[in-house]
Amino acid sequence: MNIKQIPAYVWLLTALALTASTFVLALLLDRFGVKSVFDPHSSSFFYNMQMIHVLMISVTFFMAFVSKDIGNNHIVNLLSSATFGVYLIHDYDDMRFLLWQVLFQNNQHQSNPLLIPYTLLQIFTVFAGCAAIDLLRIYLIEKRYMVPMDSL
């Protein structure tokens, strides 16, 4: 059986199970006060970007979308053309500081009961803003100047 033949819902359920188990493990370790030798804040230890849990969750979410045939969708194609630009813009050190420390002031909202909706709004706002910037770059600069460059 080819790996792409596994249905999307299987990948999605696996990703959700991995996410839930990581969350429960972090809660249990935090609840019982178990400290890691690597990180005294054990609950956040499992959400480090270099952890195997995060890699497995990312791969299974990715495979859920790879195995799902959504056809040709203009909006999805438009947003996907800007996604790499979104990553490059918001991951730049100075921009990261400007967004999360200055603009959104994340450290002041850690105990806010509306943290999750606020975080989701931040994510949407940053993605929409960075996508708009990159789409402007694509349509105002790249389309205009890459045609002559390609002919060279």
Side-chain angles (χ1 to χ4, degrees):
M1 179 185 222
N2 188 350
I3 198 163
K4 288 186 179 181
Q5 292 174 335
I6 298 173
Y9 73 90
V10 172
W11 289 111
L12 190 59
L13 288 175
T14 304
L16 291 175
L18 286 167
T19 303
S21 65
T22 302
F23 182 71
V24 168
L25 182 60
L27 280 178
L28 287 174
L29 288 176
D30 194 45
R31 171 71 177 114
F32 293 113
V34 177
K35 301 296 180 196
S36 168
V37 293
F38 303 109
D39 186 3
H41 307 290
S42 296
S43 61
S44 63
F45 176 72
F46 293 102
Y47 293 104
N48 188 343
M49 288 176 37
Q50 288 80 25
M51 293 301 295
I52 190 72
H53 299 93
V54 175
L55 175 65
M56 290 173 17
I57 292 167
S58 301
V59 168
T60 52
F61 268 122
F62 178 76
M63 290 306 298
F65 288 100
V66 165
S67 62
K68 181 77 175 152
D69 183 20
I70 61 170
N72 189 6
N73 187 322
H74 177 69
I75 295 171
V76 171
N77 291 341
L78 182 69
L79 289 176
S80 67
S81 70
T83 302
F84 186 60
V86 170
Y87 167 72
L88 291 176
I89 292 168
H90 93 281
D91 197 44
Y92 179 64
D93 285 337
D94 293 338
M95 183 59 79
R96 189 182 313 140
F97 176 78
L98 178 70
L99 286 172
W100 309 125
Q101 309 274 314
V102 176
L103 183 64
F104 292 119
Q105 300 174 352
N106 282 348
N107 55 352
Q108 296 179 3
H109 298 283
Q110 291 178 352
S111 59
N112 187 344
L114 297 174
L115 178 66
I116 292 176
Y118 181 70
T119 302
L120 293 173
L121 181 64
Q122 283 180 345
I123 292 167
F124 176 77
T125 304
V126 168
F127 185 84
C130 292
I133 291 169
D134 196 54
L135 289 172
L136 284 172
R137 178 198 61 84
I138 290 170
Y139 287 103
L140 294 178
I141 297 171
E142 188 174 311
K143 298 267 185 197
R144 186 173 292 164
Y145 295 108
M146 287 309 288
V147 172
M149 295 299 289
D150 287 340
S151 65
L152 291 175

